[in-house]
Amino acid sequence: MTTAYDDNQIGRARVRDTPELEAYYRELAGLDAGALWTVANDIEPWYPRPKSVPTLWAYDQLRPLVQKALPLVKADDAGRRVVMLTNPGRRDVSAAVGLLYTGLQIMGPGEAMTAHRHQASALRFVLEGSGAWTVVDGQKLKVGPRDFAITPNGTWHEHGNESTVAPCIWQDGLDIPLVNALDAPFYEVHPDLHQVAGDVVNSSVLTYGGTLLPYGAERWSKPYSPLFAFPWEPTYEALLRLARSTEGSPYDGVIMEYTNPLTGGSVMPTMSAHIQLLRGGQATQAHRHTGSVLYTVAQGRGCSVIAGRRFDWQEGDIFCVPSWAWHEHANPDTSENAVLFSFNDFPVMRSLAFWREEAFSESDGRQPLD
Ligand code: 1HN
């Protein structure tokens, strides 16, 4: 009898090697060819088998090492002074999970980085420091702790830290491994090394950051959000308001997507981001879906069970959920909300029609290992 996911059945490749076949495979290899049935079950698994493994990067361990980079390398020599987070299964492509890259960038007081642009899209989530600024396509933005900002594909960007005393650390998220996997990377240094920024700081927040749109907004025709920054205070307030009106999702708690205000869609074509609140004492149900997610603990503490492994987290920690991994979150502290920021490749999954999701529904409530 065949069971589900058994490769020893009609419809799957089940050719046994013989000396004759092995000689044949060598002949094919000599012509840069091969027999599909030797790899078919590996390249077409029954369901996603990501190389990425669930991983947590503890901020209290990484922070001193990120700070150590400040005197060790000059920003101008490094380009960007970043400690990247590499998934043990994805070191070959510098991914933190799936085809997503993330890292912690530190800028010393008064530092400024030169401008460049690339095919990859980038996003930032600020972890500490109050002096960070960035110029995205000529627009100066000032960002503080827990603010979220985007640097869409192809936009010139540069940044710095105007504090006179404290460094700034922010998390970068990029789709670089995706762009590289598709052989589509481009990179340019700004011819003048810096952009000429407009006079109005945070102009996109002033223009598009409310619940109303400016007249004529439909003339924006770029494939990304015209709103480049999402300050923390209104974001958290929106989350608390939603929490007053709904129970939220059984899998994600009270969750909101940062969106392009003109379309309601993701802020950039390849990556989207969420903010979610887990109420004190809340434990979500497990589910899984295609698409990779990187979570950053914005506030509070809690734990997640990912593919059968438990990860305890607190503010500043970053952890990943690989595609199709069962996951559930809990905030056991009954007196405090826990808030998770996350970004993902869902727009890619959706636009390519790869999106699938499934609720975990075993009566014993324990996650299987895959
Ligand atoms: C990049 O452009 C930045 O602009 C940060 O701050 C991290 C990682 C890989 C490639 C480009 C930035 C990056 C990056």
Side-chain angles (χ1 to χ4, degrees):
M1 197 188 83
T2 57
T3 54
Y5 310 140
D6 186 350
D7 283 333
N8 188 22
Q9 61 173 291
I10 291 180
R12 294 297 270 178
R14 50 174 184 172
V15 177
R16 287 191 200 288
D17 284 353
T18 62
E20 203 181 357
L21 275 172
E22 279 165 15
Y24 172 62
Y25 298 153
R26 281 194 293 277
E27 275 189 288
L28 286 175
L31 297 181
D32 293 320
L36 173 62
W37 61 85
T38 62
V39 299
N41 296 345
D42 286 335
I43 66 172
E44 281 207 285
W46 298 97
Y47 51 85
R49 308 298 306 248
K51 288 188 186 146
S52 304
V53 292
T55 305
L56 178 140
W57 294 270
Y59 194 57
D60 63 359
Q61 290 179 338
L62 270 173
R63 187 174 181 263
L65 287 184
V66 173
Q67 288 169 326
K68 217 172 179 170
L70 203 51
L72 280 178
V73 288
K74 289 202 202 85
D76 273 349
D77 292 338
R80 303 295 192 237
R81 194 190 294 101
V82 183
V83 169
M84 61 179 184
L85 310 187
T86 44
N87 192 286
R90 301 297 278 162
R91 287 194 191 99
D92 52 338
V93 293
S94 300
V97 67
L99 292 170
L100 295 173
Y101 159 100
T102 202
L104 295 174
Q105 177 159 184
I106 184 163
M107 292 177 282
E111 262 188 344
M113 318 281 156
T114 55
H116 66 205
R117 66 177 174 182
H118 38 65
Q119 186 89 303
S121 299
L123 55 83
R124 328 276 180 198
F125 185 72
V126 182
L127 293 175
E128 57 180 277
S130 57
W133 56 267
T134 172
V135 181
V136 179
D137 249 2
Q139 182 183 143
K140 183 152 187 174
L141 301 156
K142 291 195 183 180
V143 286
R146 303 188 184 109
D147 288 357
F148 168 63
I150 60 168
T151 300
N153 40 322
T155 54
W156 292 112
H157 54 283
E158 62 193 279
H159 45 256
N161 175 3
E162 66 187 19
S163 164
T164 51
V165 286
C168 157
I169 300 177
W170 72 28
Q171 181 186 358
D172 296 310
L174 290 99
D175 55 5
I176 288 190
L178 171 72
V179 175
N180 289 342
L182 295 171
D183 286 336
F186 289 93
Y187 187 99
E188 283 171 85
V189 172
H190 194 285
D192 304 325
L193 294 181
H194 293 284
Q195 304 162 76
V196 178
D199 293 334
V200 182
V201 173
N202 290 353
S203 68
S204 73
V205 182
L206 298 172
T207 310
Y208 295 101
T211 49
L212 283 78
L213 288 175
Y215 189 74
E218 72 281 0
R219 283 196 288 274
W220 177 268
S221 58
K222 302 195 170 144
Y224 48 79
S225 168
L227 176 58
F228 288 172
F230 297 75
W232 172 248
E233 287 73 17
T235 301
Y236 190 47
E237 199 184 309
L239 203 53
L240 292 176
R241 282 170 182 238
L242 183 62
R244 279 165 50 195
S245 79
T246 177
E247 271 299 299
S249 146
Y251 310 107
D252 292 306
V254 179
I255 183 162
M256 300 184 95
E257 185 176 11
Y258 294 88
T259 52
N260 176 337
L262 300 184
T263 63
S266 58
V267 285
M268 296 186 286
T270 54
M271 293 186 290
S272 184
H274 292 102
I275 194 79
Q276 76 193 79
L277 181 141
L278 302 169
R279 293 184 170 92
Q282 182 171 11
T284 67
Q285 292 169 30
H287 75 155
R288 65 180 173 183
H289 47 71
T290 48
S292 303
V293 187
L294 276 155
Y295 289 89
T296 309
V297 184
Q299 197 175 294
R301 55 180 65 232
C303 69
S304 300
V305 182
I306 308 163
R309 286 182 59 195
R310 176 183 162 148
F311 296 89
D312 291 294
W313 40 255
Q314 59 183 353
E315 207 170 302
D317 290 353
I318 297 172
F319 62 93
C320 70
V321 173
S323 181
W324 209 236
W326 293 113
H327 56 283
E328 64 197 69
H329 310 293
N331 171 14
D333 181 348
T334 51
S335 63
E336 222 200 311
N337 288 333
V339 182
L340 297 173
F341 165 83
S342 62
F343 74 94
N344 60 67
D345 57 6
F346 297 173
V348 178
M349 295 295 138
R350 292 212 161 95
S351 59
L352 299 180
F354 292 161
W355 179 259
R356 286 214 203 182
E357 71 185 306
E358 203 172 270
F360 180 66
S361 63
E362 289 292 305
S363 52
D364 71 4
R366 286 191 42 226
Q367 290 182 30
L369 287 177
D370 61 6

